[in-house]
């Protein structure tokens, strides 16, 4: 049986690529949670430093969020010729609806709030760039996110800071800008740190889990993770950063010794009640961007 060709093959190809990116964003959530062993984080071995969530919560959360990711792309396409400065406000209702769906799926547990924010932004940026027929790679996408988020830290953390959230309090007390700062920088730590390291490890013959784990350790060593600081204070954050840097210097996740050191790091994070959720969110971004042409 012969299949007829689409009436507009270029448009069809672009729609297919959009669907592929949304699916890759969904897969990124699963890639991260299945990576094992992760210090302080939920994985296939244990629940890390969390008493309120497990692997099942993350699977349900990923499915709930996955439904919304193509809608963020569509919103970006619809708004492609509006000023980038308007995009964030126009994404808010979609972001809140996606977040609510996540909470429904998890019974009120916050599994992926940071990733709803970062993936929503990246998907909208993809839609904007695609509709404008611009070349899409990791750098152009992150530059678009930075433009969309210009002034976000000043607006939400400096000027109108009611100290209602842990993130707002950490900004005032310690200058930590969290997920907002990462987005406004165009995910600078991913683009200039974790992503090049991930590609370098793969090119050197590492398997994907090892390359991802080393990228996670790099992020933990360099990211001022507000999740860690809210649980363990600045001292806890510095301890975790130094420990992650030390593991990387010892060879990272490679070999049986590397895995043993990671397991010990995990046990120590659990004892200290530290979970680098912000770095996990950035690892999700790292893997997603690695699926784009270099």
């Amino acid at each position: 049986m012969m299949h007829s060709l689409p009436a507009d093959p270029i448009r069809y190809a672009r729609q297919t690529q959009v669907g592929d990116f949304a699916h890759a964003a969904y897969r990124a959530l699963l890639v991260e949670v299945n990576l094992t062993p992760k210090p302080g984080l939920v994985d296939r071995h244990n629940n890390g430093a969390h008493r309120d969530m497990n692997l099942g919560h993350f699977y349900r959360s990923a499915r709930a969020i996955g439904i919304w990711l193509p809608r963020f792309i569509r919103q970006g396409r619809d708004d492609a010729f509006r000023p980038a400065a308007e995009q964030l406000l126009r994404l808010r209702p979609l972001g809140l609806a996606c977040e609510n769906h996540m909470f429904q799926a998890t019974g009120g547990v916050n599994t992926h709030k940071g990733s709803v924010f970062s993936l929503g932004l990246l998907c909208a940026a993809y839609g904007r760039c695609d509709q404008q027929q611009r070349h899409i790679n990791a750098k152009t996408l992150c530059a678009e996110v930075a433009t969309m988020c210009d002034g976000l830290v000043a607006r939400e953390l400096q000027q109108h800071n009611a100290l209602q959230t842990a993130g707002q309090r950490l900004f005032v007390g310690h200058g930590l800008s969290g997920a907002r700062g990462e987005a406004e920088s165009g995910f600078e730590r991913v683009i200039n740190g974790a992503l090049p390291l991930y590609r370098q490890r793969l090119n050197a013959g590492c398997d994907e889990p090892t390359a991802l784990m080393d990228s996670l350790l790099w992020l933990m060593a360099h990211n001022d993770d507000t999740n860690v600081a809210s649980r363990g204070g600045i001292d806890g954050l510095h301890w975790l950063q130094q420990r992650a840097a030390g593991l990387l210097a010892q060879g990272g996740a490679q070999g049986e010794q590397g895995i043993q050191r990671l397991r010990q790091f995990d046990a120590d994070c659990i004892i200290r009640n530290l979970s680098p959720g912000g770095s996990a969110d950035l690892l999700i971004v790292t893997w997603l961007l690695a699926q784009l042409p270099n």
Side-chain angles (χ1 to χ4, degrees):
M1 178 178 161
M2 290 183 67
H3 294 281
S4 59
L5 290 169
D8 185 345
I10 294 172
R11 188 177 173 207
Y12 176 77
R14 282 175 58 208
Q15 286 174 340
T16 303
Q17 286 164 356
V18 165
D20 287 349
F21 188 76
H23 186 65
Y26 160 70
R27 279 184 59 210
L29 296 167
L30 298 179
V31 166
E32 184 278 322
V33 77
N34 283 319
L35 185 66
T36 305
K38 292 194 302 290
L41 294 159
V42 173
D43 59 25
R44 288 180 288 109
H45 281 175
N46 61 44
N47 301 337
H50 297 277
R51 294 183 181 87
D52 61 340
M53 60 182 81
N54 57 40
L55 200 60
H57 286 103
F58 278 81
Y59 288 163
R60 292 193 294 278
S61 174
R63 282 197 295 272
I65 292 166
I67 294 165
W68 291 86
L69 296 172
R71 300 182 196 184
F72 284 106
I73 296 179
R74 280 202 297 274
Q75 189 69 53
R77 291 179 78 165
D78 290 347
D79 297 341
F81 298 102
R82 289 176 175 268
E86 295 178 9
Q87 188 66 75
L88 201 57
L89 202 58
R90 294 178 65 79
L91 287 174
R92 278 243 155 90
L94 208 53
L96 287 170
C98 178
E99 213 175 86
N100 288 337
H101 197 190
M102 174 200 78
F103 281 126
Q104 285 172 16
T106 63
V109 176
N110 175 12
T111 42
H112 283 126
K113 193 170 176 178
S115 286
V116 169
F117 179 63
S118 57
L119 294 181
L121 286 170
L122 284 163
C123 284
Y126 190 99
R128 287 178 67 86
C129 292
D130 178 67
Q131 189 66 19
Q132 294 166 7
Q133 299 192 10
R134 287 161 56 195
H135 178 67
I136 295 175
N137 60 26
K139 287 192 173 174
T140 56
L141 215 53
C142 288
E144 187 69 13
V145 170
T147 306
M148 285 158 52
C149 294
D150 187 40
L152 180 62
V153 170
R155 284 195 306 274
E156 296 193 3
L157 294 179
Q158 283 174 347
Q159 294 161 5
H160 305 295
N161 191 332
L163 297 179
Q164 290 176 336
T165 68
Q168 288 172 328
R169 291 190 292 274
L170 285 165
F171 181 79
V172 168
H174 304 286
L176 307 188
S177 58
R180 294 176 183 89
E182 295 299 328
E184 189 171 353
S185 77
F187 301 109
E188 189 270 338
R189 282 189 178 91
V190 172
I191 287 290
N192 293 327
L195 183 59
L197 177 66
Y198 176 64
R199 286 175 168 154
Q200 179 192 323
R201 290 287 196 265
L202 288 179
N203 289 338
C206 281
D207 57 27
E208 183 179 89
T210 303
L212 275 174
M213 195 67 78
D214 281 356
S215 300
L216 177 61
L217 286 171
W218 189 93
L219 288 165
M220 288 167 65
H222 293 87
N223 179 31
D224 291 329
D225 196 323
T226 52
N227 292 53
V228 176
S230 65
R231 282 171 167 259
I234 291 298
D235 287 345
L237 175 60
H238 289 161
W239 173 84
L240 183 122
Q241 289 174 327
Q242 288 162 11
R243 187 73 180 271
L247 256 70
L248 261 184
Q250 289 176 287
Q254 295 186 57
E256 190 52 44
Q257 272 192 319
I259 296 298
Q260 277 305 115
R261 283 193 282 262
L262 276 169
R263 287 189 181 131
Q264 187 57 55
F265 191 11
D266 184 31
D268 293 343
C269 284
I270 292 169
I271 290 166
R272 290 170 180 255
N273 194 34
L274 300 178
S275 177
S279 295
D281 289 339
L282 291 177
L283 188 70
I284 289 166
V285 171
T286 301
W287 187 87
L288 173 60
L289 294 177
Q291 310 314 303
L292 294 169
N294 190 356

